[in-house]
């Protein structure tokens, strides 16, 4: 079945450092791929998405490219801020039910 | 627009008690979902409703029931709570299933079963 694997955290960075959070997936067909972010004490918010191969999703300085050949959707940001500290979830949907399949989440802690 | 709202925000139950978690959306979405979030396991789908009047099981439905009361509201009921149901519960909605629509999440309900 469909599944998502993302790097374990926590990831601890200094402000202005470069961020990469790896995400790979297993899926039949052509899923859509998502990154959601969860700030402390809050629900999940969509950060970015890509619906077909080679699409690049971007938002708030974050970006991720849908790579079908490597089944990956790695999240990157050139210069992180303390306010980016959160848990990041990679997810996919596909098929008739649009059910989201989530990775386990990666905690990012950015230090000033 | 409030988006997706959930009540209550926090709840403590004793084993065997029952309760209903409420969820409502004001985006005129057809599809609604209930997830639970546990440490190290991401979010897992409990039940979903593709449209008003329909409900289907997700990955972890045991111990739960749902009601799609109308297009706006989708409730989750625990008939006899167990400590294994201690979790954070999220409701979500999307315009439809069968497509690739974004799901929008509520703020969550933190449930503790003693």
């Amino acid at each position: 079945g469909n599944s998502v694997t993302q790097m374990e955290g926590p990831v601890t960075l200094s402000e202005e450092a470069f961020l990469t959070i790896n995400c790979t997936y297993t899926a039949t067909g052509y899923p859509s791929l998502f990154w959601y972010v969860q700030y402390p004490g809050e629900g999940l918010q969509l950060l970015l998405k890509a619906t077909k191969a080679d699409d690049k999703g971007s938002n708030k300085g974050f970006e991720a490219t849908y790579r079908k050949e490597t089944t990956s959707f790695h999240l990157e940001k050139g210069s992180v801020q303390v306010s980016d500290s959160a848990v990041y979830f990679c997810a996919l949907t596909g098929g008739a039910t649009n059910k989201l399949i989530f990775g386990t989440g990666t905690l990012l802690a950015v230090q000033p | 627009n409030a988006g997706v709202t959930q009540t209550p925000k926090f709840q403590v139950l004793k084993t065997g008690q029952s309760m209903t978690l409420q969820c409502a959306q004001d985006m005129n979405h057809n599809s609604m979902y209930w997830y639970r979030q546990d440490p190290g396991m991401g979010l897992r789908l409990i039940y979903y409703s593709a449209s008003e009047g329909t409900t289907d099981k997700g990955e972890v439905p045991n111990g739960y029931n749902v009601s799609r009361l109308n297009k706006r509201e989708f409730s989750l009921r625990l008939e006899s709570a167990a400590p294994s149901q201690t979790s954070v519960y999220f409701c979500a909605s999307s315009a439809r299933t069968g497509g690739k629509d974004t799901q929008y999440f509520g703020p969550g309900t933190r449930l503790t079963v003693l």
Side-chain angles (χ1 to χ4, degrees):
Chain A
N2 295 350
S3 66
V4 175
T5 303
Q6 61 182 104
M7 63 188 289
E8 295 206 11
V11 174
T12 303
L13 296 173
S14 298
E15 207 165 22
E16 299 184 1
F18 185 85
L19 169 70
T20 300
I21 300 178
N22 290 337
C23 172
T24 58
Y25 68 91
T26 301
T28 55
Y30 301 92
S32 291
L33 301 174
F34 302 81
W35 277 101
Y36 279 85
V37 58
Q38 185 179 30
Y39 298 103
E42 298 184 10
L44 278 72
Q45 303 174 26
L46 177 69
L47 181 58
L48 53 85
K49 71 176 185 181
T51 60
K52 61 182 187 296
D54 299 325
D55 265 4
K56 178 185 283 188
S58 61
N59 186 27
K60 299 181 180 181
F62 292 88
E63 58 184 34
T65 301
Y66 189 145
R67 302 284 188 201
K68 192 164 178 63
E69 64 277 13
T70 55
T71 62
S72 65
F73 192 55
H74 304 322
L75 182 68
E76 296 182 336
K77 187 176 185 183
S79 176
V80 294
Q81 306 300 313
V82 172
S83 57
D84 293 326
S85 297
V87 180
Y88 293 81
F89 291 93
C90 186
L92 65 81
T93 63
T97 59
N98 201 35
K99 291 183 286 188
L100 271 169
I101 307 295
F102 285 91
T104 54
T106 301
L107 173 64
L108 170 66
V110 181
Q111 299 175 337
Chain B
N1 280 352
V4 180
T5 56
Q6 294 182 234
T7 56
K9 287 191 174 183
F10 301 94
Q11 184 70 49
V12 178
L13 294 178
K14 295 181 179 178
T15 297
Q17 288 185 318
S18 63
M19 80 161 294
T20 300
L21 282 64
Q22 306 287 353
C23 174
Q25 53 89 10
D26 63 2
M27 296 174 282
N28 201 37
H29 284 170
N30 288 307
S31 304
M32 298 184 74
Y33 311 80
W34 276 106
Y35 294 88
R36 59 178 289 171
Q37 181 180 27
D38 301 294
M41 302 190 75
L43 280 79
R44 293 179 293 169
L45 182 66
I46 305 171
Y47 272 93
Y48 68 100
S49 170
S51 60
E52 185 178 355
T54 69
T55 60
D56 285 285
K57 295 178 181 179
E59 184 183 353
V60 288
N62 291 345
Y64 305 95
N65 286 301
V66 291
S67 295
R68 184 73 184 268
L69 304 170
N70 48 56
K71 191 171 186 179
R72 289 187 63 248
E73 298 173 290
F74 188 39
S75 62
L76 178 71
R77 183 162 179 83
L78 287 69
E79 291 290 352
S80 178
S84 61
Q85 294 177 306
T86 293
S87 188
V88 182
Y89 292 85
F90 289 100
C91 178
S93 71
S94 66
R96 59 196 171 136
T97 56
K100 297 180 177 182
D101 295 329
T102 299
Q103 291 186 24
Y104 295 87
F105 284 78
T109 295
R110 185 174 296 275
L111 175 66
T112 301
V113 183
L114 303 175

